[in-house]
Amino acid sequence: MKTRMRGGLGEAGWITLGLAALALAWDASGLDLPAARLAGGADGFAWRNSWLLAVLVHEGGRSLAWLLALALCLAAWWPVGPLARIGQRERLQLALSTLLGALAVSLLKTGSHTSCPWELADFGGLARYVPHWSASVDGGSGHCFPAGHAASGFTFVGGYFAFRSSHPLLARRWLAASLAAGLVLGLAQQWRGAHFMSHTLWSALVCWGVACLLQAAWPRAWNAEGA
């Protein structure tokens, strides 16, 4: 597989630029509130407690993501399916990337002052809207940026690096599936009033960034162990 493209920028670099451009462009557009108003109003979000989104997609999706993460950890030693096509080093990298991506998003949420849309006065709450990059407190409970639930899908993007050397087509399909899963989970949460679209986009970029950083460090870490 070609790892370099025109101008010397690799495929992973173009993906990084694309995700960053999308997140920054959405932030600049100011479309978070207008998009949220498609699902909610002064009386809140009608789908907030629906069985489809709250139970099946939210709770079920989160449980499935953790089961898949556990399966990846076990597959580092007992590979099945497509994971049997790559070496243990790549399988360990994929498992660790998945766990670190979820951890990074969780830590960012812990330190965030941004509250969820359903807490805003625009949607029947008490908080005021404050852009997530602002240091101002919005009057809500905070801890809502970036999107944790969307990360349940995005955190698997590290499979791209695990497969790209030996199975580039599978690598791209894995990446596409991970991004699609994260987007679906993020949209479901947005429709419930739990997140803005910007939260979802930045969650994708964080998970991808973690995978990229691990890819850069992993060969050195592995070789340092004498493997």
Side-chain angles (χ1 to χ4, degrees):
M1 169 185 175
K2 289 185 178 181
T3 58
R4 309 293 294 179
M5 297 180 68
R6 183 180 301 177
L9 188 63
E11 183 175 71
W14 286 110
I15 295 170
T16 304
L17 286 177
L19 290 174
L22 184 59
L24 289 170
W26 184 271
D27 278 354
S29 72
L31 289 174
D32 264 346
L33 276 174
R37 291 190 180 104
L38 296 176
D43 295 327
F45 293 84
W47 287 74
R48 177 173 178 173
N49 297 312
S50 73
W51 178 86
L52 176 63
L53 299 185
V55 179
L56 182 62
V57 179
H58 183 240
E59 298 298 333
R62 181 169 54 189
S63 297
L64 178 60
W66 279 113
L67 285 174
L68 291 176
L70 175 61
L72 289 180
C73 292
L74 294 175
W77 287 271
W78 301 286
V80 294
L83 295 173
R85 304 182 191 179
I86 55 178
Q88 187 180 51
R89 180 173 73 170
E90 288 75 23
R91 297 195 300 270
L92 285 169
Q93 180 181 348
L94 171 54
L96 184 58
S97 172
T98 300
L99 296 176
L100 288 178
L103 177 62
V105 171
S106 179
L107 290 176
L108 288 172
K109 282 170 60 67
T110 299
S112 171
H113 294 300
T114 301
S115 298
C116 300
W118 57 39
E119 293 191 55
L120 302 184
D122 303 63
F123 306 105
L126 299 176
R128 60 189 178 90
Y129 174 76
V130 175
H132 52 258
W133 294 121
S134 173
S136 301
V137 177
D138 59 23
S141 58
H143 310 304
C144 198
F145 175 82
H149 193 56
S152 298
F154 293 139
T155 196
F156 293 97
V157 293
Y160 169 82
F161 294 108
F163 288 102
R164 71 170 182 172
S165 295
S166 56
H167 300 84
L169 179 59
L170 179 56
R172 295 183 185 115
R173 288 176 174 173
W174 186 292
L175 175 62
S178 300
L179 291 176
L183 182 59
V184 169
L185 293 173
L187 287 172
Q189 286 295 82
Q190 180 174 335
W191 212 251
R192 294 183 63 228
H195 286 291
F196 288 118
M197 176 56 72
S198 62
H199 300 186
T200 295
L201 296 177
W202 282 101
S203 181
L205 188 58
V206 168
C207 290
W208 174 253
V210 168
C212 289
L213 290 174
L214 186 60
Q215 167 67 12
W218 189 252
R220 292 191 294 273
W222 187 268
N223 291 334
E225 295 173 2

